[in-house]
Amino acid sequence: MMLLVHGIPVILGFVMSFYEFPSLRYTDWFRPETFVGLDHFAKVFQKDTIYGAQFWNSLKVTILYTVGSVIGTYGLGLVTALTLDKQFRGKLVARTVILIPYVTPVVVTLLTWRMMFRSDTGVINALLRQAGLIEGSLFWLLGPNSLYAIIIANVWRNFPYAAIMLYAGLQSIPEQLYEAAEIDGAGRWGKLRYVTLPQLKPVSAVILLLLILWTFINFPVPYILLGGSPSESGNVLMLLIYSFGFKQSAYGIGSALSAMLFLFSMTIAYVYYKRVVASSYDGGAI
C-alpha cells in the first residue's frame, strides 16, 4: 500500500522529467520521439532561459524563507519553553493556549493571517500605524514584503511544536547539573549556556531537521497567503513547481524540478542526520 501511495508517484515523476509532452493526451506522452533525456534539467540550470531565471530566483527565495522560518520558529519556541519551565500562576492555561496555532486547521489559520495582512483593512498595518512605525499602508501580500508575510505566518504556525518539544527536553535535565553550575559560580546566563543548551542539543537537532524539511517543501503557507501567482519575492520552489505544472503547461520542467527537490531534501535529511542528529546521542543511535 505504501508503494502505491508514495512510491509509484515518485517514480512516475522521475520518468516524466525525461519526456516532452506535446499535448494533454496521455497516449502522446511516453513515446520514443518525446524522450528528451536531461534537457529539462539543463534548462532549469541555465540562467538565460525563462525557466532557469525563474528557478534561480525561486531558489534564493526558498533559502531565505527556510532560514528565516527556522530561526524564528526555533527562537520563539525556545523562549516559550524557557518561560513555561518557570513557576507562575496560570501555567497550565498558558501551556494549552500556545497550542492553538498548531491545532487550529491550517486553512483557517492562514486565511486569518491573509485578512490580517490586507493593506487596507488589515490589523497588522493598523497596529504599525498606531505604534508610529509606518505612515499609510504596506502591501504585505504583494511585492518584497510577501517574503516576510509567509515567514511570519509559518513561524506562528510551527513555533508551538518547537516549544513543546523543547519544554519536554527541559524536564529531563537533572537538577544536579544546575546545582553544580551554581557551585562553580555560574549565573543565569551561564546555566543557560553551559547546562541548558548543551542538554537540549539532541532534541534541538531533531527539531531543526524537521523544520528545515517542512519549510523547504512547504506549500500551504505560501499558496494560501499569496495564491498561485505570487510576486518574485514570495515565489518559493513549491509554488514555482505548481506554476510549471498547472499554469505554464511545462510538465517536464516541473517534474525535473520536483525530482531535484526530492533528491536535495533527501540528501539534506541524510547528511544532517548523520552529522548532527546521530552524533548528538551516545553511540550514534537514537
Side-chain angles (χ1 to χ4, degrees):
M1 183 58 70
M2 290 295 291
L3 179 63
L4 291 174
V5 174
H6 298 288
I8 291 179
V10 171
I11 295 173
L12 186 60
F14 274 90
V15 173
M16 291 175 68
S17 65
F18 297 109
Y19 285 84
E20 192 66 68
F21 302 97
S23 72
L24 293 178
R25 292 192 306 175
Y26 180 76
T27 53
D28 292 338
W29 289 3
F30 302 108
R31 294 180 301 171
E33 59 270 28
T34 62
F35 181 78
V36 296
L38 298 176
D39 283 0
H40 290 144
F41 294 89
K43 288 179 180 177
V44 168
F45 283 105
Q46 293 173 354
K47 292 184 177 181
D48 56 345
T49 66
I50 184 174
Y51 302 116
Q54 293 179 79
F55 165 72
W56 286 107
N57 173 75
S58 187
L59 179 62
K60 181 186 69 175
V61 172
T62 304
I63 292 174
L64 293 175
Y65 172 53
T66 302
V67 172
S69 295
V70 171
I71 293 176
T73 302
Y74 183 83
L76 187 57
L78 180 60
V79 171
T80 305
L82 292 173
T83 303
L84 291 177
D85 195 44
K86 301 182 182 301
Q87 295 299 326
F88 59 90
R89 293 183 61 183
K91 180 176 178 178
L92 180 60
V93 176
R95 280 191 306 189
T96 305
V97 169
I98 68 164
L99 290 175
I100 291 178
Y102 199 66
V103 299
T104 304
V106 62
V107 175
V108 175
T109 301
L110 295 175
L111 288 178
T112 303
W113 273 106
R114 187 180 172 91
M115 289 188 292
M116 293 169 61
F117 278 127
R118 286 178 62 93
S119 60
D120 48 359
T121 60
V123 68
I124 302 294
N125 277 339
L127 291 175
L128 292 176
R129 280 194 297 269
Q130 288 185 355
L133 298 176
I134 64 171
E135 295 180 0
S137 299
L138 294 178
F139 289 95
W140 289 96
L141 304 178
L142 293 171
N145 291 327
S146 57
L147 175 61
Y148 302 126
I150 57 177
I151 290 176
I152 292 171
N154 198 39
V155 170
W156 176 256
R157 168 71 183 168
N158 289 322
F159 92 89
Y161 167 79
I164 293 302
M165 291 285 288
L166 291 169
Y167 178 68
L170 289 173
Q171 304 307 301
S172 65
I173 299 176
E175 190 61 31
Q176 292 85 348
L177 294 178
Y178 291 110
E179 294 174 355
E182 285 184 357
I183 294 174
D184 292 338
R188 182 177 301 178
W189 169 247
K191 292 179 185 176
L192 176 65
R193 181 179 179 184
Y194 297 109
V195 178
T196 303
L197 294 181
Q199 290 296 313
L200 290 177
K201 184 178 178 182
V203 68
S204 296
V206 176
I207 292 171
L208 292 174
L209 170 62
L210 293 177
L211 290 179
I212 290 171
L213 291 178
W214 288 350
T215 306
F216 205 81
I217 61 174
N218 182 270
F219 180 76
V221 171
Y223 180 75
I224 295 176
L225 279 182
L226 308 179
S229 302
S231 55
E232 285 189 356
S233 63
N235 195 17
V236 296
L237 284 174
M238 292 302 294
L239 291 185
L240 184 63
I241 294 172
Y242 171 83
S243 176
F244 283 152
F246 294 96
K247 293 193 170 185
Q248 303 182 45
S249 299
Y251 307 109
I253 296 290
S255 298
L257 192 53
S258 299
M260 289 192 297
L261 192 60
F262 175 80
L263 294 175
F264 185 65
S265 300
M266 293 301 294
T267 302
I268 289 179
Y270 178 78
V271 172
Y272 192 89
Y273 178 84
K274 296 295 289 186
R275 295 290 183 86
V276 180
V277 179
S279 63
S280 298
Y281 288 80
D282 292 335
I286 296 177

mmCIF file of all heavy atoms in Angstrom, residues 141-188:
data_model
loop_
_atom_site.group_PDB
_atom_site.id
_atom_site.type_symbol
_atom_site.label_atom_id
_atom_site.label_comp_id
_atom_site.label_asym_id
_atom_site.label_seq_id
_atom_site.Cartn_x
_atom_site.Cartn_y
_atom_site.Cartn_z
ATOM 1 N N LEU A 141 1.147 41.240 0.965
ATOM 2 C CA LEU A 141 0.924 40.056 0.124
ATOM 3 C C LEU A 141 1.379 40.290 -1.309
ATOM 4 O O LEU A 141 1.222 39.405 -2.155
ATOM 5 C CB LEU A 141 -0.558 39.656 0.159
ATOM 6 C CG LEU A 141 -1.107 39.408 1.569
ATOM 7 C CD1 LEU A 141 -2.587 39.078 1.511
ATOM 8 C CD2 LEU A 141 -0.340 38.265 2.246
ATOM 9 N N LEU A 142 1.909 41.451 -1.601
ATOM 10 C CA LEU A 142 2.460 41.775 -2.914
ATOM 11 C C LEU A 142 3.813 42.443 -2.722
ATOM 12 O O LEU A 142 4.039 43.110 -1.712
ATOM 13 C CB LEU A 142 1.539 42.718 -3.692
ATOM 14 C CG LEU A 142 0.180 42.162 -4.133
ATOM 15 C CD1 LEU A 142 -0.670 43.288 -4.696
ATOM 16 C CD2 LEU A 142 0.356 41.069 -5.165
ATOM 17 N N GLY A 143 4.708 42.279 -3.695
ATOM 18 C CA GLY A 143 5.983 42.961 -3.623
ATOM 19 C C GLY A 143 6.955 42.328 -2.637
ATOM 20 O O GLY A 143 6.770 41.187 -2.216
ATOM 21 N N PRO A 144 7.988 43.079 -2.240
ATOM 22 C CA PRO A 144 9.067 42.497 -1.421
ATOM 23 C C PRO A 144 8.629 42.043 -0.037
ATOM 24 O O PRO A 144 9.269 41.169 0.552
ATOM 25 C CB PRO A 144 10.088 43.643 -1.327
ATOM 26 C CG PRO A 144 9.307 44.884 -1.612
ATOM 27 C CD PRO A 144 8.248 44.493 -2.587
ATOM 28 N N ASN A 145 7.548 42.620 0.502
ATOM 29 C CA ASN A 145 7.114 42.224 1.850
ATOM 30 C C ASN A 145 6.446 40.857 1.889
ATOM 31 O O ASN A 145 6.191 40.335 2.979
ATOM 32 C CB ASN A 145 6.137 43.268 2.411
ATOM 33 C CG ASN A 145 6.824 44.581 2.719
ATOM 34 O OD1 ASN A 145 7.991 44.597 3.098
ATOM 35 N ND2 ASN A 145 6.113 45.677 2.517
ATOM 36 N N SER A 146 6.136 40.281 0.744
ATOM 37 C CA SER A 146 5.455 38.981 0.745
ATOM 38 C C SER A 146 6.342 37.898 1.358
ATOM 39 O O SER A 146 5.832 36.936 1.955
ATOM 40 C CB SER A 146 5.043 38.592 -0.680
ATOM 41 O OG SER A 146 6.163 38.567 -1.540
ATOM 42 N N LEU A 147 7.663 38.028 1.221
ATOM 43 C CA LEU A 147 8.559 37.050 1.858
ATOM 44 C C LEU A 147 8.411 37.120 3.374
ATOM 45 O O LEU A 147 8.339 36.087 4.049
ATOM 46 C CB LEU A 147 10.006 37.326 1.445
ATOM 47 C CG LEU A 147 11.068 36.451 2.127
ATOM 48 C CD1 LEU A 147 10.847 34.977 1.818
ATOM 49 C CD2 LEU A 147 12.472 36.874 1.693
ATOM 50 N N TYR A 148 8.369 38.356 3.930
ATOM 51 C CA TYR A 148 8.199 38.489 5.378
ATOM 52 C C TYR A 148 6.853 37.925 5.830
ATOM 53 O O TYR A 148 6.731 37.335 6.907
ATOM 54 C CB TYR A 148 8.306 39.958 5.782
ATOM 55 C CG TYR A 148 9.606 40.605 5.386
ATOM 56 C CD1 TYR A 148 9.634 41.771 4.643
ATOM 57 C CD2 TYR A 148 10.820 40.030 5.753
ATOM 58 C CE1 TYR A 148 10.827 42.356 4.273
ATOM 59 C CE2 TYR A 148 12.024 40.609 5.389
ATOM 60 C CZ TYR A 148 12.014 41.777 4.638
ATOM 61 O OH TYR A 148 13.197 42.347 4.272
ATOM 62 N N ALA A 149 5.827 38.103 5.005
ATOM 63 C CA ALA A 149 4.492 37.630 5.376
ATOM 64 C C ALA A 149 4.461 36.115 5.528
ATOM 65 O O ALA A 149 3.918 35.584 6.505
ATOM 66 C CB ALA A 149 3.475 38.084 4.325
ATOM 67 N N ILE A 150 5.053 35.387 4.575
ATOM 68 C CA ILE A 150 4.996 33.926 4.673
ATOM 69 C C ILE A 150 5.912 33.415 5.790
ATOM 70 O O ILE A 150 5.632 32.389 6.405
ATOM 71 C CB ILE A 150 5.340 33.260 3.326
ATOM 72 C CG1 ILE A 150 6.719 33.679 2.813
ATOM 73 C CG2 ILE A 150 4.271 33.563 2.296
ATOM 74 C CD1 ILE A 150 7.110 32.987 1.517
ATOM 75 N N ILE A 151 7.011 34.143 6.076
ATOM 76 C CA ILE A 151 7.868 33.732 7.200
ATOM 77 C C ILE A 151 7.127 33.899 8.521
ATOM 78 O O ILE A 151 7.124 33.009 9.373
ATOM 79 C CB ILE A 151 9.179 34.548 7.191
ATOM 80 C CG1 ILE A 151 10.071 34.139 6.016
ATOM 81 C CG2 ILE A 151 9.934 34.359 8.512
ATOM 82 C CD1 ILE A 151 11.328 34.975 5.887
ATOM 83 N N ILE A 152 6.485 35.054 8.700
ATOM 84 C CA ILE A 152 5.763 35.314 9.955
ATOM 85 C C ILE A 152 4.657 34.282 10.163
ATOM 86 O O ILE A 152 4.506 33.721 11.255
ATOM 87 C CB ILE A 152 5.179 36.744 9.932
ATOM 88 C CG1 ILE A 152 6.305 37.777 9.985
ATOM 89 C CG2 ILE A 152 4.214 36.955 11.100
ATOM 90 C CD1 ILE A 152 5.843 39.210 9.758
ATOM 91 N N ALA A 153 3.876 34.016 9.130
ATOM 92 C CA ALA A 153 2.783 33.057 9.260
ATOM 93 C C ALA A 153 3.313 31.652 9.530
ATOM 94 O O ALA A 153 2.732 30.896 10.330
ATOM 95 C CB ALA A 153 1.933 33.069 7.986
ATOM 96 N N ASN A 154 4.414 31.295 8.890
ATOM 97 C CA ASN A 154 4.976 29.960 9.095
ATOM 98 C C ASN A 154 5.545 29.806 10.502
ATOM 99 O O ASN A 154 5.400 28.753 11.133
ATOM 100 C CB ASN A 154 6.069 29.694 8.052
ATOM 101 C CG ASN A 154 6.377 28.225 7.925
ATOM 102 O OD1 ASN A 154 5.489 27.379 7.971
ATOM 103 N ND2 ASN A 154 7.645 27.894 7.759
ATOM 104 N N VAL A 155 6.196 30.851 11.002
ATOM 105 C CA VAL A 155 6.713 30.814 12.374
ATOM 106 C C VAL A 155 5.565 30.668 13.367
ATOM 107 O O VAL A 155 5.622 29.859 14.298
ATOM 108 C CB VAL A 155 7.527 32.088 12.667
ATOM 109 C CG1 VAL A 155 7.858 32.191 14.162
ATOM 110 C CG2 VAL A 155 8.816 32.096 11.856
ATOM 111 N N TRP A 156 4.513 31.452 13.153
ATOM 112 C CA TRP A 156 3.360 31.385 14.045
ATOM 113 C C TRP A 156 2.721 29.997 14.028
ATOM 114 O O TRP A 156 2.299 29.483 15.055
ATOM 115 C CB TRP A 156 2.329 32.426 13.621
ATOM 116 C CG TRP A 156 1.058 32.372 14.417
ATOM 117 C CD1 TRP A 156 -0.149 31.860 14.031
ATOM 118 C CD2 TRP A 156 0.858 32.840 15.759
ATOM 119 N NE1 TRP A 156 -1.070 31.975 15.030
ATOM 120 C CE2 TRP A 156 -0.475 32.580 16.107
ATOM 121 C CE3 TRP A 156 1.708 33.464 16.684
ATOM 122 C CZ2 TRP A 156 -1.004 32.913 17.339
ATOM 123 C CZ3 TRP A 156 1.176 33.797 17.936
ATOM 124 C CH2 TRP A 156 -0.157 33.529 18.241
ATOM 125 N N ARG A 157 2.698 29.388 12.877
ATOM 126 C CA ARG A 157 2.075 28.078 12.731
ATOM 127 C C ARG A 157 2.880 26.989 13.448
ATOM 128 O O ARG A 157 2.322 26.096 14.068
ATOM 129 C CB ARG A 157 1.947 27.752 11.235
ATOM 130 C CG ARG A 157 1.590 26.326 10.902
ATOM 131 C CD ARG A 157 0.163 25.998 11.256
ATOM 132 N NE ARG A 157 -0.125 24.598 10.991
ATOM 133 C CZ ARG A 157 -1.211 23.973 11.411
ATOM 134 N NH1 ARG A 157 -2.106 24.621 12.110
ATOM 135 N NH2 ARG A 157 -1.413 22.714 11.145
ATOM 136 N N ASN A 158 4.205 27.042 13.391
ATOM 137 C CA ASN A 158 5.036 25.916 13.847
ATOM 138 C C ASN A 158 5.719 26.114 15.190
ATOM 139 O O ASN A 158 6.245 25.142 15.738
ATOM 140 C CB ASN A 158 6.111 25.617 12.791
ATOM 141 C CG ASN A 158 5.520 25.001 11.542
ATOM 142 O OD1 ASN A 158 4.604 24.192 11.613
ATOM 143 N ND2 ASN A 158 6.043 25.385 10.381
ATOM 144 N N PHE A 159 5.736 27.336 15.748
ATOM 145 C CA PHE A 159 6.512 27.506 16.977
ATOM 146 C C PHE A 159 5.969 26.678 18.151
ATOM 147 O O PHE A 159 6.768 26.278 19.025
ATOM 148 C CB PHE A 159 6.610 28.999 17.360
ATOM 149 C CG PHE A 159 5.539 29.498 18.290
ATOM 150 C CD1 PHE A 159 5.709 29.430 19.673
ATOM 151 C CD2 PHE A 159 4.366 30.023 17.791
ATOM 152 C CE1 PHE A 159 4.726 29.886 20.537
ATOM 153 C CE2 PHE A 159 3.381 30.487 18.641
ATOM 154 C CZ PHE A 159 3.552 30.414 20.018
ATOM 155 N N PRO A 160 4.651 26.391 18.262
ATOM 156 C CA PRO A 160 4.209 25.538 19.371
ATOM 157 C C PRO A 160 4.851 24.158 19.356
ATOM 158 O O PRO A 160 5.143 23.592 20.424
ATOM 159 C CB PRO A 160 2.692 25.441 19.150
ATOM 160 C CG PRO A 160 2.335 26.675 18.406
ATOM 161 C CD PRO A 160 3.489 26.904 17.493
ATOM 162 N N TYR A 161 5.091 23.623 18.171
ATOM 163 C CA TYR A 161 5.744 22.310 18.099
ATOM 164 C C TYR A 161 7.141 22.390 18.708
ATOM 165 O O TYR A 161 7.518 21.547 19.534
ATOM 166 C CB TYR A 161 5.828 21.852 16.644
ATOM 167 C CG TYR A 161 6.751 20.673 16.437
ATOM 168 C CD1 TYR A 161 6.321 19.388 16.752
ATOM 169 C CD2 TYR A 161 8.048 20.851 15.961
ATOM 170 C CE1 TYR A 161 7.168 18.302 16.589
ATOM 171 C CE2 TYR A 161 8.893 19.773 15.798
ATOM 172 C CZ TYR A 161 8.453 18.508 16.112
ATOM 173 O OH TYR A 161 9.306 17.443 15.962
ATOM 174 N N ALA A 162 7.916 23.398 18.310
ATOM 175 C CA ALA A 162 9.263 23.550 18.864
ATOM 176 C C ALA A 162 9.213 23.795 20.366
ATOM 177 O O ALA A 162 10.029 23.257 21.121
ATOM 178 C CB ALA A 162 9.982 24.695 18.153
ATOM 179 N N ALA A 163 8.244 24.597 20.808
ATOM 180 C CA ALA A 163 8.142 24.918 22.234
ATOM 181 C C ALA A 163 7.846 23.674 23.068
ATOM 182 O O ALA A 163 8.471 23.454 24.115
ATOM 183 C CB ALA A 163 7.059 25.980 22.454
ATOM 184 N N ILE A 164 6.914 22.871 22.629
ATOM 185 C CA ILE A 164 6.554 21.671 23.397
ATOM 186 C C ILE A 164 7.695 20.675 23.424
ATOM 187 O O ILE A 164 7.990 20.063 24.460
ATOM 188 C CB ILE A 164 5.276 21.037 22.803
ATOM 189 C CG1 ILE A 164 4.084 21.971 23.025
ATOM 190 C CG2 ILE A 164 5.007 19.690 23.462
ATOM 191 C CD1 ILE A 164 3.809 22.312 24.469
ATOM 192 N N MET A 165 8.360 20.491 22.288
ATOM 193 C CA MET A 165 9.488 19.553 22.248
ATOM 194 C C MET A 165 10.618 20.022 23.167
ATOM 195 O O MET A 165 11.216 19.230 23.908
ATOM 196 C CB MET A 165 9.987 19.430 20.810
ATOM 197 C CG MET A 165 9.026 18.733 19.862
ATOM 198 S SD MET A 165 8.971 16.948 20.109
ATOM 199 C CE MET A 165 10.573 16.488 19.429
ATOM 200 N N LEU A 166 10.922 21.326 23.128
ATOM 201 C CA LEU A 166 11.994 21.852 23.974
ATOM 202 C C LEU A 166 11.599 21.835 25.443
ATOM 203 O O LEU A 166 12.436 21.587 26.320
ATOM 204 C CB LEU A 166 12.348 23.275 23.527
ATOM 205 C CG LEU A 166 13.036 23.372 22.163
ATOM 206 C CD1 LEU A 166 13.090 24.822 21.687
ATOM 207 C CD2 LEU A 166 14.447 22.788 22.230
ATOM 208 N N TYR A 167 10.334 22.096 25.719
ATOM 209 C CA TYR A 167 9.854 22.048 27.105
ATOM 210 C C TYR A 167 9.996 20.629 27.658
ATOM 211 O O TYR A 167 10.408 20.445 28.807
ATOM 212 C CB TYR A 167 8.396 22.500 27.158
ATOM 213 C CG TYR A 167 7.789 22.432 28.530
ATOM 214 C CD1 TYR A 167 8.216 23.279 29.541
ATOM 215 C CD2 TYR A 167 6.778 21.507 28.818
ATOM 216 C CE1 TYR A 167 7.660 23.211 30.814
ATOM 217 C CE2 TYR A 167 6.213 21.433 30.072
ATOM 218 C CZ TYR A 167 6.656 22.289 31.073
ATOM 219 O OH TYR A 167 6.112 22.211 32.330
ATOM 220 N N ALA A 168 9.673 19.629 26.849
ATOM 221 C CA ALA A 168 9.859 18.240 27.285
ATOM 222 C C ALA A 168 11.340 17.957 27.528
ATOM 223 O O ALA A 168 11.704 17.251 28.482
ATOM 224 C CB ALA A 168 9.306 17.292 26.224
ATOM 225 N N GLY A 169 12.206 18.515 26.673
ATOM 226 C CA GLY A 169 13.640 18.337 26.885
ATOM 227 C C GLY A 169 14.112 18.989 28.169
ATOM 228 O O GLY A 169 14.980 18.444 28.876
ATOM 229 N N LEU A 170 13.550 20.145 28.510
ATOM 230 C CA LEU A 170 13.938 20.829 29.754
ATOM 231 C C LEU A 170 13.583 20.000 30.986
ATOM 232 O O LEU A 170 14.301 20.026 31.994
ATOM 233 C CB LEU A 170 13.245 22.195 29.820
ATOM 234 C CG LEU A 170 13.756 23.266 28.846
ATOM 235 C CD1 LEU A 170 12.862 24.502 28.908
ATOM 236 C CD2 LEU A 170 15.198 23.643 29.152
ATOM 237 N N GLN A 171 12.468 19.267 30.907
ATOM 238 C CA GLN A 171 12.044 18.471 32.055
ATOM 239 C C GLN A 171 12.985 17.313 32.337
ATOM 240 O O GLN A 171 12.989 16.754 33.440
ATOM 241 C CB GLN A 171 10.628 17.928 31.811
ATOM 242 C CG GLN A 171 9.575 18.984 31.514
ATOM 243 C CD GLN A 171 9.540 20.071 32.578
ATOM 244 O OE1 GLN A 171 9.316 19.794 33.751
ATOM 245 N NE2 GLN A 171 9.788 21.304 32.157
ATOM 246 N N SER A 172 13.765 16.923 31.341
ATOM 247 C CA SER A 172 14.658 15.770 31.507
ATOM 248 C C SER A 172 16.053 16.165 31.994
ATOM 249 O O SER A 172 16.891 15.297 32.209
ATOM 250 C CB SER A 172 14.773 15.016 30.173
ATOM 251 O OG SER A 172 15.415 15.823 29.195
ATOM 252 N N ILE A 173 16.321 17.471 32.152
ATOM 253 C CA ILE A 173 17.648 17.903 32.602
ATOM 254 C C ILE A 173 17.747 17.717 34.116
ATOM 255 O O ILE A 173 16.930 18.276 34.856
ATOM 256 C CB ILE A 173 17.902 19.377 32.225
ATOM 257 C CG1 ILE A 173 17.845 19.557 30.706
ATOM 258 C CG2 ILE A 173 19.263 19.827 32.752
ATOM 259 C CD1 ILE A 173 17.987 21.002 30.259
ATOM 260 N N PRO A 174 18.720 16.945 34.606
ATOM 261 C CA PRO A 174 18.854 16.734 36.059
ATOM 262 C C PRO A 174 19.127 18.048 36.798
ATOM 263 O O PRO A 174 19.929 18.861 36.348
ATOM 264 C CB PRO A 174 20.048 15.773 36.164
ATOM 265 C CG PRO A 174 20.169 15.141 34.819
ATOM 266 C CD PRO A 174 19.711 16.180 33.839
ATOM 267 N N GLU A 175 18.446 18.221 37.921
ATOM 268 C CA GLU A 175 18.628 19.430 38.720
ATOM 269 C C GLU A 175 20.042 19.528 39.267
ATOM 270 O O GLU A 175 20.556 20.633 39.518
ATOM 271 C CB GLU A 175 17.615 19.421 39.876
ATOM 272 C CG GLU A 175 17.514 20.722 40.655
ATOM 273 C CD GLU A 175 17.073 21.889 39.783
ATOM 274 O OE1 GLU A 175 16.307 21.660 38.820
ATOM 275 O OE2 GLU A 175 17.496 23.029 40.069
ATOM 276 N N GLN A 176 20.711 18.363 39.430
ATOM 277 C CA GLN A 176 22.075 18.370 39.967
ATOM 278 C C GLN A 176 23.033 19.154 39.071
ATOM 279 O O GLN A 176 24.022 19.727 39.547
ATOM 280 C CB GLN A 176 22.598 16.929 40.131
ATOM 281 C CG GLN A 176 21.885 16.138 41.196
ATOM 282 C CD GLN A 176 20.608 15.494 40.673
ATOM 283 O OE1 GLN A 176 20.138 15.814 39.579
ATOM 284 N NE2 GLN A 176 20.060 14.588 41.477
ATOM 285 N N LEU A 177 22.767 19.171 37.786
ATOM 286 C CA LEU A 177 23.639 19.914 36.874
ATOM 287 C C LEU A 177 23.574 21.415 37.161
ATOM 288 O O LEU A 177 24.599 22.112 37.123
ATOM 289 C CB LEU A 177 23.245 19.629 35.424
ATOM 290 C CG LEU A 177 23.466 18.188 34.936
ATOM 291 C CD1 LEU A 177 22.997 18.040 33.495
ATOM 292 C CD2 LEU A 177 24.934 17.800 35.056
ATOM 293 N N TYR A 178 22.372 21.914 37.449
ATOM 294 C CA TYR A 178 22.228 23.339 37.777
ATOM 295 C C TYR A 178 22.871 23.654 39.123
ATOM 296 O O TYR A 178 23.474 24.716 39.312
ATOM 297 C CB TYR A 178 20.756 23.730 37.784
ATOM 298 C CG TYR A 178 20.128 23.723 36.410
ATOM 299 C CD1 TYR A 178 19.196 22.769 36.056
ATOM 300 C CD2 TYR A 178 20.486 24.686 35.461
ATOM 301 C CE1 TYR A 178 18.624 22.757 34.800
ATOM 302 C CE2 TYR A 178 19.922 24.681 34.201
ATOM 303 C CZ TYR A 178 18.985 23.719 33.881
ATOM 304 O OH TYR A 178 18.430 23.710 32.625
ATOM 305 N N GLU A 179 22.734 22.714 40.088
ATOM 306 C CA GLU A 179 23.341 22.918 41.409
ATOM 307 C C GLU A 179 24.869 22.953 41.297
ATOM 308 O O GLU A 179 25.536 23.776 41.928
ATOM 309 C CB GLU A 179 22.901 21.799 42.352
ATOM 310 C CG GLU A 179 21.410 21.820 42.659
ATOM 311 C CD GLU A 179 20.980 20.616 43.465
ATOM 312 O OE1 GLU A 179 21.828 19.719 43.708
ATOM 313 O OE2 GLU A 179 19.792 20.545 43.831
ATOM 314 N N ALA A 180 25.413 22.071 40.455
ATOM 315 C CA ALA A 180 26.863 22.061 40.256
ATOM 316 C C ALA A 180 27.325 23.352 39.572
ATOM 317 O O ALA A 180 28.396 23.906 39.906
ATOM 318 C CB ALA A 180 27.265 20.855 39.412
ATOM 319 N N ALA A 181 26.500 23.855 38.627
ATOM 320 C CA ALA A 181 26.848 25.106 37.943
ATOM 321 C C ALA A 181 26.837 26.277 38.911
ATOM 322 O O ALA A 181 27.682 27.176 38.826
ATOM 323 C CB ALA A 181 25.859 25.342 36.797
ATOM 324 N N GLU A 182 25.871 26.280 39.841
ATOM 325 C CA GLU A 182 25.824 27.343 40.854
ATOM 326 C C GLU A 182 27.050 27.317 41.738
ATOM 327 O O GLU A 182 27.616 28.365 42.092
ATOM 328 C CB GLU A 182 24.561 27.190 41.702
ATOM 329 C CG GLU A 182 23.290 27.627 41.004
ATOM 330 C CD GLU A 182 22.080 27.552 41.941
ATOM 331 O OE1 GLU A 182 22.263 27.103 43.085
ATOM 332 O OE2 GLU A 182 20.997 27.943 41.512
ATOM 333 N N ILE A 183 27.482 26.090 42.109
ATOM 334 C CA ILE A 183 28.684 25.970 42.947
ATOM 335 C C ILE A 183 29.902 26.537 42.223
ATOM 336 O O ILE A 183 30.794 27.159 42.822
ATOM 337 C CB ILE A 183 28.914 24.483 43.325
ATOM 338 C CG1 ILE A 183 27.772 24.002 44.232
ATOM 339 C CG2 ILE A 183 30.270 24.297 44.004
ATOM 340 C CD1 ILE A 183 27.824 22.531 44.553
ATOM 341 N N ASP A 184 29.915 26.341 40.896
ATOM 342 C CA ASP A 184 31.031 26.863 40.088
ATOM 343 C C ASP A 184 30.899 28.348 39.798
ATOM 344 O O ASP A 184 31.745 28.921 39.087
ATOM 345 C CB ASP A 184 31.119 26.089 38.769
ATOM 346 C CG ASP A 184 31.551 24.648 38.986
ATOM 347 O OD1 ASP A 184 32.166 24.373 40.038
ATOM 348 O OD2 ASP A 184 31.254 23.802 38.112
ATOM 349 N N GLY A 185 29.854 28.974 40.312
ATOM 350 C CA GLY A 185 29.697 30.412 40.159
ATOM 351 C C GLY A 185 28.946 30.847 38.917
ATOM 352 O O GLY A 185 28.989 32.037 38.553
ATOM 353 N N ALA A 186 28.263 29.921 38.257
ATOM 354 C CA ALA A 186 27.522 30.281 37.041
ATOM 355 C C ALA A 186 26.248 31.028 37.395
ATOM 356 O O ALA A 186 25.521 30.635 38.312
ATOM 357 C CB ALA A 186 27.177 29.023 36.242
ATOM 358 N N GLY A 187 25.998 32.111 36.675
ATOM 359 C CA GLY A 187 24.757 32.843 36.858
ATOM 360 C C GLY A 187 23.677 32.304 35.935
ATOM 361 O O GLY A 187 23.783 31.188 35.400
ATOM 362 N N ARG A 188 22.625 33.128 35.724
ATOM 363 C CA ARG A 188 21.518 32.690 34.882
ATOM 364 C C ARG A 188 21.983 32.419 33.443
ATOM 365 O O ARG A 188 21.638 31.416 32.846
ATOM 366 C CB ARG A 188 20.427 33.758 34.902
ATOM 367 C CG ARG A 188 19.194 33.388 34.100
ATOM 368 C CD ARG A 188 18.136 34.456 34.229
ATOM 369 N NE ARG A 188 17.742 34.650 35.628
ATOM 370 C CZ ARG A 188 16.862 35.557 36.010
ATOM 371 N NH1 ARG A 188 16.292 36.355 35.121
ATOM 372 N NH2 ARG A 188 16.544 35.668 37.290
#
